Amino acid sequence: MNTQVGIIGGGPSGLCLARLLSLAGIESVILERQAREYVEARIRAGILEQGMADLMRKAGVGARMDKEGLLHDGIVLTFDGREERIDMAALTGGKQVMVYGQTELTKDLYDAVLKDENITVVFQAGHVHPVGFFEGEPRLEYVKDGKHQVVSCDFIAGCDGYHGASRAAVPRDRLVEYERIYPFGWLGLLSDTPPVHEELIYANHKRGFALCSMRSHTRSRYYIQVGLDQKVEDWSDERFWDEIRRRLPEHIAGKMVTGPSIEKSIAPLRSFVTEPMRFGKMFLVGDAAHIVPPTGAKGLNLAASDMYYLSTALIAHYKEGREDLLDRYSETALRRVWAAVRFSWWFTSIMHKFNEDPIEHKIQLAELDYLMSSTAGKTTIAENYVGLPFDPTFE
Ligand code: RFL
Ligand code: PHB
């Protein structure tokens, strides 16, 4: 098989990139390790910045998102028995975020991609291996139904997440990896119960962090910080509900509607960046190149700027014969990546319990008290939460 852009991974990054390219007449082949149903069922992101929502619209898949997504103007922080709202829209000149689950977004993307004549998707592609990208002859080797296959292409986009094959195929001496693993994880629970509040609540508590999020007016997503030794089986629904209520101010906990879980899982927290994000004719996009702890809701939103920059650069290459944007991809993408890595790390560090030392909690409370007393303090949270802009010179 021959194509213009060979894409490894049919998650949100690979699918949205393929659509953006297709609308400019560029063909691609997506190799996805799993079946469609598996990819669509993964419960992950819930919050889209305006940049990601705009990209979905640009990719021609924004209609259901605009109909069913919930626009939020603010978030609530609770700490020390206090409840403080950050009016993000007022502090950022009207910017909002959209509540729309990654499961729904992925369904919308697959509906469009599978009808798109410029895009071929191979599901259950095994042993995917990118080769020849440093030598100017990029190819994707893989196994399908027991048969060895090859896709020859002009470029490879590695959109295959943290555990993917693209980054793994780069010799260790050609990249640098920066990593921090946090000493806790998030236990998440999804339930068909109305959210406890109309906006998200991020709670700092001496028992540990908690987050009240949602997918719709009737479906809630809650998280609590748990130790790395914890197992999902140790957490009955009842134990989860008891624990999250203890971490919230009483008047909020008292309103919480509980019910059976639809899904429960534990995610570890990690900050991770690969430099560079280009290796000859192969480009890394999204989680394949970087991971942030979910506290700032930034993971998918960072993939969005990568997709935007890479699609813009590839379109300039095919339409105008330009190489300059491809040459600037890695540096430009990484600048926004590091900004989000910094915010996610910082927001994680002021909201979570890191150890039993009481001075740590007191210092967090002093920092939160200061931030809430200062317009500059609230604005720094608001600006980062709604998302830093894409580089306007990248065109
Ligand atoms: P994905 O979603 O991991 O997709 C990669 C795809 O590649 C496939 N694949 C392979 N295919 C072929 N060959 C191989 N060798 C392959 N290896 C892997 C996989 O099957 C998969 O289909 O990466 P992508 O597309 O870059 O998307 C990134 C996002 O999924 C991720 O950043 C977000 O989910 C992170 N995230 C959040 N991001 C936000 O912007 N806002 C949020 O509110 C938010 N909340 C979250 C999150 C992530 C979480 N977890 C579980 C990590 C909440 C949680 C709990
Ligand atoms: C979610 O709804 O899954 C979610 C929301 C906000 C975050 C992380 C996850 O910061």
Side-chain angles (χ1 to χ4, degrees):
M1 211 169 359
N2 274 307
T3 192
Q4 291 176 299
V5 182
I7 299 178
I8 314 178
S13 296
L15 296 170
C16 192
L17 177 69
R19 276 294 291 173
L20 295 168
L21 295 176
S22 168
L23 293 172
I26 300 167
E27 291 178 359
S28 62
V29 172
I30 300 176
L31 302 183
E32 167 55 50
R33 183 168 56 184
Q34 308 286 353
R36 174 182 179 173
E37 299 69 40
Y38 181 94
V39 180
E40 285 184 354
R42 277 194 301 234
I43 316 264
R44 286 181 155 194
I47 303 291
L48 310 183
E49 295 172 1
Q50 235 163 51
M52 179 67 203
D54 285 345
L55 223 50
M56 288 288 286
R57 295 181 190 112
K58 201 169 160 194
V61 288
R64 192 164 70 101
M65 174 190 80
D66 281 325
K67 197 158 140 244
E68 296 176 14
L70 309 175
L71 284 168
H72 282 195
D73 284 343
I75 55 171
V76 173
L77 303 189
T78 67
F79 57 95
D80 210 12
R82 285 165 62 179
E83 180 186 337
E84 297 280 352
R85 178 167 188 267
I86 303 201
D87 189 337
M88 298 180 308
L91 292 163
T92 62
K95 292 213 179 106
Q96 297 171 304
V97 294
M98 168 97 77
V99 173
Y100 192 63
Q102 187 167 328
T103 45
E104 304 314 304
L105 173 142
T106 307
K107 271 184 207 132
D108 298 345
L109 282 164
Y110 267 122
D111 283 346
V113 159
L114 294 174
K115 280 189 226 132
D116 192 318
E117 293 187 347
N118 289 325
I119 308 172
T120 306
V121 186
V122 180
F123 290 105
Q124 292 168 315
H127 304 286
V128 176
H129 197 50
V131 292
F133 43 93
F134 277 125
E135 292 78 34
E137 280 181 27
R139 298 180 307 284
L140 298 178
E141 300 180 347
Y142 67 103
V143 175
K144 175 73 184 167
D145 300 329
K147 289 206 191 88
H148 186 260
Q149 309 277 359
V150 179
V151 179
S152 301
C153 48
D154 303 333
F155 299 100
I156 297 171
C159 304
D160 47 353
Y162 179 69
H163 299 286
S166 53
R167 196 181 69 252
V170 178
R172 295 294 90 185
D173 60 352
R174 304 291 287 255
L175 52 70
V176 183
E177 296 181 340
Y178 300 88
E179 182 164 50
R180 168 159 303 174
I181 295 171
Y182 296 82
F184 40 74
W186 280 18
L187 170 61
L189 179 148
L190 189 70
S191 65
D192 275 327
T193 51
V196 69
H197 189 65
E198 66 265 24
E199 293 181 334
L200 269 65
I201 301 175
Y202 289 82
N204 170 303
H205 191 272
K206 59 180 185 304
R207 295 180 67 86
F209 171 77
L211 169 60
C212 307
S213 181
M214 66 193 75
R215 291 292 176 272
S216 68
H217 293 303
T218 56
R219 181 168 283 192
S220 298
R221 181 70 166 159
Y222 294 108
Y223 296 96
I224 52 172
Q225 174 188 348
V226 294
L228 289 176
D229 56 341
Q230 297 293 297
K231 305 243 173 320
V232 180
E233 307 79 75
D234 302 333
W235 288 85
S236 64
D237 290 357
E238 203 181 355
R239 181 173 174 211
F240 182 97
W241 293 120
D242 284 346
E243 185 60 35
I244 194 164
R245 278 189 295 229
R246 292 173 79 167
R247 297 185 187 188
L248 296 167
E250 256 172 47
H251 70 282
I252 296 174
K255 287 191 303 188
M256 186 172 268
V257 181
T258 64
S261 62
I262 308 171
E263 192 260 6
K264 238 182 331 197
S265 54
I266 294 182
L269 267 66
R270 176 193 311 273
S271 299
F272 173 84
V273 182
T274 309
E275 289 190 345
M277 286 171 59
R278 175 188 187 168
F279 303 94
K281 300 253 178 193
M282 180 166 79
F283 298 83
L284 301 184
V285 178
D287 278 18
H290 40 73
I291 299 284
V292 288
T295 322
K298 288 283 160 271
L300 182 57
N301 294 306
L302 264 192
S305 44
D306 296 354
M307 292 175 234
Y308 169 78
Y309 293 135
L310 187 57
S311 60
T312 304
L314 287 169
I315 292 167
H317 166 84
Y318 283 110
K319 300 292 154 201
E320 302 167 49
R322 286 171 57 190
E323 297 304 305
D324 58 317
L325 295 183
L326 288 170
D327 291 341
R328 283 174 60 199
Y329 170 73
S330 178
E331 183 198 339
T332 311
L334 279 165
R335 187 158 174 232
R336 191 166 184 273
V337 167
W338 278 111
V341 167
R342 186 214 63 89
F343 174 68
S344 305
W345 157 81
W346 173 75
F347 199 34
T348 300
S349 68
I350 60 169
M351 297 306 290
H352 289 72
K353 177 177 179 173
F354 279 73
N355 54 41
E356 296 299 330
D357 188 346
I359 195 171
E360 299 268 344
H361 191 229
K362 283 290 191 184
I363 288 171
Q364 285 180 336
L365 297 183
E367 183 162 5
L368 286 162
D369 184 36
Y370 159 68
L371 289 165
M372 295 307 119
S373 72
S374 149
T375 306
K378 287 186 176 182
T379 307
T380 194
I381 296 178
E383 280 179 352
N384 280 279
Y385 195 89
V386 299
L388 297 174
F390 298 175
D391 185 339
T393 70
F394 199 87
E395 55 179 19

